Amino acid sequence: MDEGRKRVLWICATILAAPKLRALEDGKNPSAQAQITNDAILKAERIMKQIDARWNANRVPGRD
């Protein structure tokens, strides 16, 4: 996986995890934080796979 793709997954996972992490507020439950983060990463990976399935690597959206 290239660095650009890692950054996109990181941004997506951050957006997905932020509301749940904010709800914890105390920061005293590292296992809950880890689970929320892992779930967000898995969701971001699924989103990227769906994007890849819809637009293959050789096509650029909007330039058909």
Side-chain angles (χ1 to χ4, degrees):
M1 178 182 300
D2 66 9
E3 290 301 313
R5 194 163 180 84
K6 285 181 189 177
R7 284 189 197 114
V8 170
L9 284 171
W10 172 68
I11 292 167
C12 291
T14 302
I15 291 168
L16 292 168
K20 291 180 182 178
L21 290 172
R22 189 175 343 126
L24 285 179
E25 289 185 14
D26 63 5
K28 295 178 184 176
N29 193 344
S31 63
Q33 289 177 345
Q35 185 62 41
I36 290 168
T37 303
N38 288 335
D39 288 345
I41 292 168
L42 290 174
K43 288 177 186 176
E45 287 176 334
R46 274 188 259 141
I47 290 168
M48 292 295 290
K49 286 179 184 176
Q50 289 175 345
I51 290 169
D52 288 342
R54 186 165 181 179
W55 293 286
N56 68 24
N58 297 325
R59 280 185 47 210
V60 176
R63 293 189 185 183
D64 290 330

